[in-house]
Amino acid sequence: MFGYYLELAWRSLRRHWIMTSLMVLAIGLGIGASMTMLTVLHVMSGDPLPGRSAHLYRPYLDPLPLSYKVDPATIGHGSNAALTWPDAKALLDAHKGVRQAAMARGYLVTHPTRPGVHSESVAGSFTTRDFFTLFGVPFVAGGPWSKQADADQAPVVVLTRKFARKLFGSEQAVGKVVHLDKHDFQVVGVVEDWQPEPLFYAISASFEDADKFFMPLSTAIHMDFRGNWMSSWGDEGKSSLTSPTSSWLNFWVRLDTPQQVAAYRRFLVNYSAQQKALGRYQRPPDEARLYGLMQWLQRQGMIPDDVLLQAWLALGFLFVCMVNVVALLLAKFLRRSGAISVRRALGARRRDIFTQFGVESALIGLAGGLLGIGIAELGLWSVRQRPDDYAQLAQMDGGMLAATVALAIAVSILAGLLPAWRACRIAPALQLKTL
């Protein structure tokens, strides 16, 4: 029976091809515009570490003096985003999490010895050795530096596979020496080209280029390698990385159970109370917070307001297109009232008529979805031409392709509900008198 409905729908669509084309075009434009922006939202709101993010937490401490007016809504931005070295070291030494790491991103200039490879400024992270285990960064050669290297401020480094190939022509770089900012570092490991999107462990999470190297945080402090971002207050130690009045570090901890999460929150509050008793903190201890990874990204406002506005406008345009399709289908189905009455007189039930027109609407939606995919790909191409850091990530994956077709069919079926219902409610007797 379904094959019969398909044949009827195909004949009807071919017979009224101009109206069919208009409906397919309306659905295609609406789907293309909406899926372009929904794909951008999907990319920007995605989980950077699927399978791990549920156990990753970002401690928040506020050492700022009371003279700094802090809006709770701004936690995760500016001076509120980073930790000072004394606080980060205290959290590391406490070992209250399953794994924990402090880090800061920065740029260093490479001085390659390989012919044809020029000096350049590359991004990397200054961090502690648990970084790789905490975030699940896979090694292809060697491994992380030792605990002793952390303690001794050793000049060692871990490179990404792509960067190692560029510097040495091969990923077999363990034991070799790389020159960074006039210092020599021994390569102790090579990791896969790892790039979570967004780079959540930066002070301000973004869609920037991935890190190309990783070195001990203690070494970076010893050599005065500064991160991309630093905020200082007060008069003392403004230029010192170890100053209690300079915030520049990010910190992440792994907690596997609700009990561990609750215990870590209590630890943060107690630590804040201790620092206030020592005269270092001025704010109430209960302002200490613990944020999950996705919650922290939400606080940082990863999705710009203009992207949200464009998404809502695109969905509004899809609604307008849907209303136009409803009007066209209503006009088309009601014009066939005579044929409908004949079918009813020959024994067709109302649900048979409703199903027939539903299949016809679904075919229109399928064609509109295929057109919408092309329009969406064109829209995503235009997004990738923009200078925004997230632009190059605007790619439609298999899931979004399937969602595009499914949305188009759903929209067309919804648009066809009213026309199909009106068509199956036609009184056969009244129409047959006019034949």
Side-chain angles (χ1 to χ4, degrees):
M1 198 64 174
F2 183 73
Y4 175 64
Y5 291 144
L6 282 176
E7 183 180 356
L8 289 179
W10 177 244
R11 288 180 179 179
S12 174
L13 296 177
R14 288 176 56 190
R15 186 180 304 116
H16 306 284
W17 65 271
I18 295 179
M19 185 174 290
T20 299
S21 300
L22 289 175
M23 289 187 288
V24 170
L25 180 61
I27 292 177
L29 288 173
I31 292 296
S34 59
M35 290 309 297
T36 295
M37 297 314 303
L38 288 178
T39 299
V40 173
L41 286 178
H42 171 70
V43 170
M44 298 186 70
S45 61
D47 187 342
L49 286 183
R52 288 181 176 269
S53 61
H55 302 291
L56 293 177
Y57 293 85
R58 171 56 160 84
Y60 166 75
L61 298 169
D62 191 356
L64 291 173
L66 291 174
S67 57
Y68 281 71
K69 301 300 181 183
V70 178
D71 183 352
T74 66
I75 292 177
H77 302 273
S79 300
N80 289 317
L83 297 181
T84 66
W85 167 246
D87 290 331
K89 189 175 186 305
L91 298 186
L92 287 171
D93 293 341
H95 296 289
K96 294 295 184 179
V98 178
R99 298 281 183 179
Q100 54 271 316
M103 65 220 65
R105 298 189 77 231
Y107 284 83
L108 297 179
V109 177
T110 63
H111 300 280
T113 58
R114 186 183 175 202
V117 182
H118 304 288
S119 297
E120 61 175 329
S121 178
V122 295
S125 279
F126 317 129
T127 184
T128 49
R129 70 184 306 271
D130 265 358
F131 178 96
F132 306 99
T133 307
L134 177 66
F135 297 143
V137 185
F139 276 83
V140 296
W145 52 84
S146 64
K147 290 183 179 179
Q148 193 60 40
D150 261 334
D152 294 344
Q153 306 168 351
V156 293
V157 69
V158 171
L159 306 179
T160 62
R161 182 200 292 261
K162 185 177 180 180
F163 192 46
R165 285 178 175 173
K166 183 174 183 179
L167 293 178
F168 303 109
S170 169
E171 62 195 44
Q172 303 302 321
V174 176
K176 297 182 179 180
V177 175
V178 61
H179 307 281
L180 298 171
D181 267 23
K182 301 180 181 179
H183 296 275
D184 292 340
F185 293 85
Q186 184 179 26
V187 180
V188 295
V190 177
V191 296
E192 284 287 0
D193 299 321
W194 181 73
Q195 182 172 5
E197 297 168 349
L199 287 175
F200 64 92
Y201 59 87
I203 294 299
S204 295
S206 64
F207 297 90
E208 299 176 0
D209 292 337
D211 289 330
K212 293 181 172 61
F213 69 86
F214 305 87
M215 71 169 55
L217 179 59
S218 58
T219 304
I221 294 175
H222 175 68
M223 296 182 176
D224 201 32
F225 291 159
R226 295 173 178 261
N228 296 346
W229 190 95
M230 175 182 282
S231 176
S232 298
W233 60 94
D235 296 326
E236 75 225 42
K238 280 192 174 183
S239 61
S240 173
L241 295 177
T242 58
S243 169
T245 58
S246 294
S247 61
W248 61 289
L249 290 167
N250 213 334
F251 194 97
W252 288 90
V253 60
R254 175 182 166 184
L255 303 168
D256 291 338
T257 66
Q259 293 76 15
Q260 291 177 351
V261 174
Y264 203 94
R265 284 199 174 100
R266 290 194 299 270
F267 162 69
L268 291 177
V269 172
N270 292 337
Y271 175 79
S272 296
Q274 179 189 54
Q275 295 302 305
K276 185 174 183 181
L278 293 173
R280 182 166 164 251
Y281 281 15
Q282 299 181 16
R283 299 180 184 275
D286 59 2
E287 289 191 8
R289 299 284 188 274
L290 185 65
Y291 295 98
L293 191 156
M294 299 305 295
Q295 186 182 13
W296 182 254
L297 291 180
Q298 184 179 10
R299 293 203 69 89
Q300 290 208 321
M302 289 306 302
I303 302 178
D305 292 339
D306 62 331
V307 173
L308 285 174
L309 176 60
Q310 291 171 31
W312 281 112
L313 289 175
L315 290 174
F317 179 63
L318 175 61
F319 177 76
V320 172
C321 292
M322 183 176 172
V323 171
N324 281 277
V325 171
V326 170
L328 290 172
L329 284 174
L330 189 61
K332 181 180 181 181
F333 291 168
L334 293 182
R335 283 178 57 186
R336 295 160 60 185
S337 56
I340 295 171
S341 298
V342 171
R343 285 202 63 202
R344 290 290 310 281
L346 294 176
R349 296 165 297 182
R350 284 180 175 176
R351 69 179 183 184
D352 296 325
I353 303 299
F354 188 86
T355 302
Q356 174 190 341
F357 290 142
V359 171
E360 187 171 333
S361 299
L363 280 182
I364 294 172
L366 179 61
L370 296 177
L371 176 62
I373 289 175
I375 295 175
E377 289 289 0
L378 182 62
L380 291 172
W381 174 85
S382 68
V383 171
R384 291 194 293 272
Q385 309 313 305
R386 296 169 59 174
D388 303 290
D389 55 6
Y390 63 83
Q392 295 306 312
L393 302 177
Q395 304 278 352
M396 187 176 290
D397 56 23
M400 295 305 292
L401 283 172
T404 300
V405 176
L407 179 61
I409 294 176
V411 164
S412 62
I413 291 177
L414 287 174
L417 287 178
L418 175 62
W421 179 80
R422 289 281 290 111
C424 72
R425 301 289 298 179
I426 292 174
L430 295 178
Q431 294 297 323
L432 290 176
K433 288 181 180 179
T434 63
L435 297 179

